[in-house]
């Protein structure tokens, strides 16, 4: 009886061992076909997990990064204040007063010669004085301001004035005191020439 129990027990143990052995051998290929589990990247996808952040003592340059807190108190401007310097105000000169140009002086001027007596020896026929009108460096007109008068002197003085005076007389034609003597009025002609020469000397 006891032998039968041991025989049954040994048979059951052998059967159990055989079942366990077969199960382990069949389970091995399944385990080999499973994909290898990838390590979880704590830094997130796209980053190299092996590149772990350096520890504070692992700085290759030997210089620890400085934080903004070690830079001292903040120098940001206080609210309501501006640190920009006001731009210099440009000073504009007041417009200068327009220059006053002098009116161009007239190039035409009148010059009066000295007066002379028309006399022959002790006889004096009268007083002669001549005025000329000059434009630039040219005589444009001659006028007898004073000539002898009375009797025949009026005739002689008329002849002298007609010959020398005016804008087309002999004075303007010759531009000098080298005039021809008027016949019958020599003394008056000479006095006219003297006064004319005086005026020309003043003008030029």
């Amino acid at each position: 009886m006891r032998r039968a129990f041991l025989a049954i027990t040994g048979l059951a143990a052998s059967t159990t061992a055989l079942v366990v052995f077969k199960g382990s051998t069949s389970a091995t290929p399944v385990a080999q076909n499973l994909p290898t589990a990838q390590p979880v990247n704590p830094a997130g996808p796209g980053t190299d997990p092996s590149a772990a952040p350096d520890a504070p003592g692992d700085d290759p340059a030997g210089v620890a990064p400085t934080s903004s807190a070690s830079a001292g108190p903040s120098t940001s401007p206080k609210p309501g204040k501006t640190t920009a310097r006001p731009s210099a105000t440009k000073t504009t000169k007041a417009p200068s007063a327009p220059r006053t140009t002098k009116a161009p002086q007239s190039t035409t001027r009148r010059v009066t010669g000295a007066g002379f007596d028309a006399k022959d020896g002790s006889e004096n026929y009268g007083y002669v004085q001549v005025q000329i009108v000059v434009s630039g460096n040219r005589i444009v007109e001659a006028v007898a301001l004073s000539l002898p008068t009375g009797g025949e002197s009026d005739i002689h003085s008329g002849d002298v004035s007609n010959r020398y005076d005016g804008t087309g007389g002999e004075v303007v034609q010759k531009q000098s005191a080298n005039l021809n003597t008027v016949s019958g009025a020599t003394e008056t002609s000479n006095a006219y020439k003297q006064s004319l020469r005086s005026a020309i000397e003043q003008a030029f």
Side-chain angles (χ1 to χ4, degrees):
M1 184 76 178
R2 185 175 180 181
R3 289 181 179 179
F5 177 76
L6 291 175
I8 294 170
T9 303
L11 179 61
S14 300
T15 304
T16 302
L18 180 62
V19 171
V20 171
F21 176 75
K22 288 184 179 180
S24 61
T25 55
S26 63
T28 301
V30 175
Q32 291 176 354
N33 293 333
L34 290 177
T36 305
Q38 298 293 331
V40 178
N41 186 0
T47 59
D48 188 0
S50 63
D54 295 335
D58 295 340
D59 187 5
V63 180
T66 58
S67 62
S68 59
S70 62
S74 174
T75 58
S76 59
K78 293 183 180 179
K81 293 184 179 181
T82 176
T83 57
R85 294 183 179 179
S87 58
T89 305
K90 295 182 178 180
T91 56
T92 56
K93 294 182 179 180
S96 57
R99 294 181 179 180
T100 55
T101 56
K102 294 182 179 180
Q105 295 181 353
S106 175
T107 56
T108 302
R109 58 192 189 278
R110 293 179 178 271
V111 182
T112 302
F116 295 89
D117 291 328
K119 58 183 180 180
D120 182 13
S122 59
E123 188 174 356
N124 188 355
Y125 297 106
Y127 184 77
V128 179
Q129 189 173 26
V130 178
Q131 182 183 79
I132 59 174
V133 179
V134 178
S135 178
N137 59 353
R138 182 176 175 81
I139 301 171
V140 296
E141 187 179 2
V143 178
L145 300 179
S146 179
L147 289 171
T149 58
E152 292 184 358
S153 295
D154 291 338
I155 300 173
H156 298 156
S157 295
D159 293 340
V160 170
S161 178
N162 293 335
R163 174 74 68 85
Y164 301 151
D165 288 352
T167 56
E170 194 170 327
V171 175
V172 175
Q173 293 175 9
K174 293 193 173 183
Q175 295 292 308
S176 68
N178 298 325
L179 307 178
N180 296 324
T181 301
V182 177
S183 178
T186 303
E187 287 75 15
T188 303
S189 297
N190 291 337
Y192 190 105
K193 294 176 188 179
Q194 289 176 320
S195 181
L196 174 62
R197 188 174 290 108
S198 173
I200 292 174
E201 289 175 354
Q202 293 179 56
F204 304 106

